[in-house]
């Protein structure tokens, strides 16, 4: 057995000579205090920024913006339908390509039309409503537009705007995105891959003619276009079309638009 004094009487003499409050006083009043305050401020700022990004938002002017967005979507589907090479594909492949690529094409349409939109905080759902509707509501809220998602969409648009693409560049770029042979379940994937290569070749050629001095423009254009793939379907649907279509299935509506006579 070790005597109790082994643990109680072997204190540091340097500490024993100081007033009991000295260590705590130094921490609170000296450089340690500034360090702790700075750390708390940084942590609070980081937490605030994180919470800000997670804020749910909605359109500031839903009537006007949804009308413009609907016009862009109609033009997008009309563009797709106008391509003879697309119309030659099996209807199942047409539907699969549009379902997979409609958001990137829509974002390109927003960029081409130079659409600017503003958002504001979404109305908070009351606690009583959450209780009454149960856990299903939380699942729906997970699809709500957040400030971070909107910032990502705006970043995509600005990258495209900075390139100042011509109408021909937009057209061939849309073709390169539309004819994606990696879409699962395609029956004519080899043919679609050839169409994508042809669209990319045409894009490269028009860039060479319009910007002969910019050898890197082709890769910059493809890089900017690839960012449209990071925009989620749920963001575009909830932000731009949910106020118009309500609970209707967006993909079903797109299919109807594609094959309507």
């Amino acid at each position: 057995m070790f005597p109790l004094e082994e643990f109680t009487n072997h204190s540091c003499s340097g500490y024993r000579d100081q007033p009991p409050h000295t260590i705590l006083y130094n921490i609170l009043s000296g450089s340690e205090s500034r360090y702790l305050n700075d750390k708390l401020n940084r942590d609070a700022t980081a937490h605030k920024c994180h919470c800000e990004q997670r804020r749910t938002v909605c359109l500031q002017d839903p009537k006007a913006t949804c009308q413009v967005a609907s016009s862009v979507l109609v033009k997008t589907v009309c563009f797709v339908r106008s391509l003879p090479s697309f119309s030659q594909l099996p209807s199942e492949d047409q539907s699969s390509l549009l379902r997979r690529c409609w958001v990137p094409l829509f974002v390109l349409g927003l960029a081409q039309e130079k659409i600017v939109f503003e958002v504001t905080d979404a109305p908070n759902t009351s606690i009583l409503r959450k209780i009454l509707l149960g856990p299903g509501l939380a699942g729906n809220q997970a699809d709500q537009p957040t400030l971070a998602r909107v910032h990502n969409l705006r970043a995509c648009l600005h990258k495209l705007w900075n390139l100042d693409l011509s109408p021909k560049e937009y057209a061939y770029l849309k073709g390169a995105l539309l004819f994606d042979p990696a879409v699962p379940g395609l029956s004519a994937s080899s043919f679609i891959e050839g169409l994508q290569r042809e669209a990319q070749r045409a894009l490269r050629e028009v860039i060479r003619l319009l910007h002969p001095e910019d050898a890197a423009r082709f890769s910059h254009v493809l890089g900017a276009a690839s960012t449209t793939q990071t925009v989620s379907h749920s963001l575009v649907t909830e932000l731009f079309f949910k106020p118009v279509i309500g609970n209707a299935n967006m993909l079903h509506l797109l299919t109807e638009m594609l094959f309507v006579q």
Side-chain angles (χ1 to χ4, degrees):
M1 294 287 293
F2 291 96
L4 185 60
E5 290 78 12
E6 290 287 334
F7 300 98
T8 58
N9 293 338
H10 283 72
S11 57
C12 177
S13 60
Y15 285 163
R16 187 167 59 241
D17 295 335
Q18 298 179 18
H21 69 277
T22 302
I23 300 173
L24 179 61
Y25 179 83
N26 287 338
I27 292 176
L28 294 179
S29 61
S31 60
E32 292 88 348
S33 175
R34 290 190 295 273
Y35 167 77
L36 289 175
N37 287 334
D38 290 345
K39 186 176 188 305
L40 288 173
N41 289 334
R42 287 195 302 270
D43 291 346
T45 301
H47 178 71
K48 180 180 179 181
C49 291
H50 184 62
C51 291
E52 285 284 309
Q53 293 298 303
R54 293 175 59 187
R55 279 167 42 202
T56 56
V57 296
C58 61
L59 292 172
Q60 194 172 82
D61 187 357
K63 182 177 180 181
T65 307
C66 289
Q67 183 176 0
V68 172
S70 297
S71 175
V72 171
L73 183 64
V74 169
K75 290 180 181 178
T76 299
V77 176
C78 287
F79 168 81
V80 171
R81 292 182 59 185
S82 70
L83 299 175
S85 52
F86 183 84
S87 301
Q88 294 171 8
L89 295 173
S91 58
E92 294 81 5
D93 285 3
Q94 294 182 39
S95 179
S96 296
L97 289 175
L98 184 62
R99 285 168 174 256
R100 176 70 170 266
C101 305
W102 77 272
V103 168
L105 295 179
F106 174 76
V107 175
L108 286 181
L110 291 179
Q112 186 172 10
E113 299 285 337
K114 292 183 169 52
I115 304 302
V116 177
F117 62 92
E118 299 297 332
V119 296
T120 186
D121 288 336
N124 290 327
T125 304
S126 68
I127 297 177
L128 177 60
R129 179 174 172 82
K130 292 180 181 179
I131 294 174
L132 293 176
L133 294 182
L137 179 62
N140 293 334
Q141 284 185 325
D143 294 331
Q144 295 299 309
T146 63
L147 195 58
R149 287 172 149 186
V150 170
H151 283 170
N152 179 59
L153 171 57
R154 284 175 171 163
C156 295
L157 293 174
H158 280 285
K159 286 181 180 179
L160 292 165
W161 288 334
N162 288 339
L163 290 168
D164 194 21
L165 300 173
S166 68
K168 284 188 176 181
E169 287 174 303
Y170 270 114
Y172 292 130
L173 189 55
K174 289 176 183 178
L177 290 180
L178 173 64
F179 296 117
D180 183 2
V183 173
L186 296 175
S187 60
S189 57
S190 297
F191 180 63
I192 291 170
E193 184 177 8
L195 293 175
Q196 185 183 63
R197 285 198 302 268
E198 181 62 21
Q200 291 176 346
R201 185 201 63 77
L203 175 62
R204 186 190 295 273
E205 181 63 19
V206 75
I207 288 176
R208 186 185 66 80
L209 292 174
L210 295 176
H211 305 275
E213 74 292 344
D214 191 352
R217 183 174 175 85
F218 178 72
S219 60
H220 291 162
V221 170
L222 291 184
S226 68
T227 65
T228 64
Q229 307 281 354
T230 67
V231 180
S232 69
H233 288 207
S234 61
L235 169 68
V236 173
T237 301
E238 293 289 330
L239 188 64
F240 295 108
F241 300 107
K242 189 68 176 287
V244 177
I245 68 174
N247 293 324
N249 188 295
M250 188 68 188
L251 295 180
H252 291 170
L253 293 177
L254 284 168
T255 303
E256 291 179 4
M257 292 172 64
L258 179 62
F259 296 113
V260 68
Q261 299 298 325

